[in-house]
Amino acid sequence: YFNEVIFADTRKVLSKKNFDVLILVDGGSLVQFYDTHKTVDNAPDLSIYDMRVHIDHHLDNGQKLGTYILKDAEVSSTAKLILEKIIPKDFIDEKLATLAYAAILWDTGNFTWHFNDGTLEIANFLLTKGADFQFLINKIFSSFPKLHLEMLALAINNIEYNDQLKTIFLFLPYQKLQQEKINEEKFSA
């Protein structure tokens, strides 16, 4: 369904009532649903949508985005919540299984945080439905553009570990950024 994705400033898209139901997925606050990299101004007014469905797994921050809310901070990913509560298991084919598995991989950092036996059970189910996990691992965690790797190397070479706090700090002074010719494009890579 990539041909249905609208690439535009979401503040403009969401500010005009172009559809009857607005579904907000996998974001705990309004700011996650509009383009803040350009400006934080002009947040969309979602109240123009009488029916708003908010599906999420993040901790509640008190911001009510939906008129209908499906939220559970105990699940590892919004995809798991959707698979358990909305999509019938017999509806899942290889393509949906792969997409759902990708969402779970992303939200759990390839099963390194916030997952439990329920996460593994749903992942196993998706694998039995034909999820192409090898493609996803390669695409999500092993295929990086050169610029991304260069910026990762810069970050690794400039971190400092504090033994007392058991914490890593990344210091990139303005002079260092200028010296390395780091602009906004490189920084966001």
Side-chain angles (χ1 to χ4, degrees), residues 5 11 17 19 29 34 44 63-64 69-70 72 76 82 110 116 120-122 128-129 140 145 148 152 160 183:
V5 175
R11 291 169 298 162
K17 190 171 180 181
F19 30 86
S29 63
Y34 68 96
Q63 193 173 23
K64 186 178 177 187
I69 299 171
L70 178 57
D72 185 351
S76 59
I82 291 170
N110 196 14
N116 55 34
L120 297 175
E121 287 172 12
I122 199 80
T128 64
K129 287 292 198 168
I140 296 173
H148 176 86
L152 182 60
E160 292 184 25
N183 57 22

Side-chain angles (χ1 to χ4, degrees), residues 21-34:
V21 178
L22 176 64
I23 302 173
L24 302 166
V25 180
D26 199 24
S29 63
L30 179 60
V31 72
Q32 292 177 282
F33 295 104
Y34 68 96

Side-chain angles (χ1 to χ4, degrees), residues 71-149:
K71 192 169 185 133
D72 185 351
E74 298 298 316
V75 299
S76 59
S77 66
T78 300
K80 183 177 183 298
L81 186 60
I82 291 170
L83 289 168
E84 289 179 341
K85 304 289 185 184
I86 298 174
I87 300 177
K89 290 198 183 315
D90 59 350
F91 186 75
I92 306 291
D93 61 9
E94 287 180 15
K95 288 181 182 179
L96 280 176
T98 300
L99 290 172
Y101 200 88
I104 292 171
L105 275 180
W106 190 257
D107 265 348
T108 64
N110 196 14
F111 302 102
T112 56
W113 62 77
H114 194 61
F115 73 95
N116 55 34
D117 58 342
T119 309
L120 297 175
E121 287 172 12
I122 199 80
N124 181 57
F125 168 75
L126 294 170
L127 291 171
T128 64
K129 287 292 198 168
D132 190 348
F133 72 92
Q134 192 60 55
F135 166 78
L136 295 172
I137 294 293
N138 292 338
K139 191 73 174 164
I140 296 173
F141 297 105
S142 301
S143 300
F144 300 108
K146 181 181 177 191
L147 181 58
H148 176 86
L149 295 173

Side-chain angles (χ1 to χ4, degrees), residues 55-74:
I55 307 169
D56 189 36
H57 75 112
H58 294 96
L59 291 174
D60 191 1
N61 67 358
Q63 193 173 23
K64 186 178 177 187
L65 300 179
T67 52
Y68 298 96
I69 299 171
L70 178 57
K71 192 169 185 133
D72 185 351
E74 298 298 316

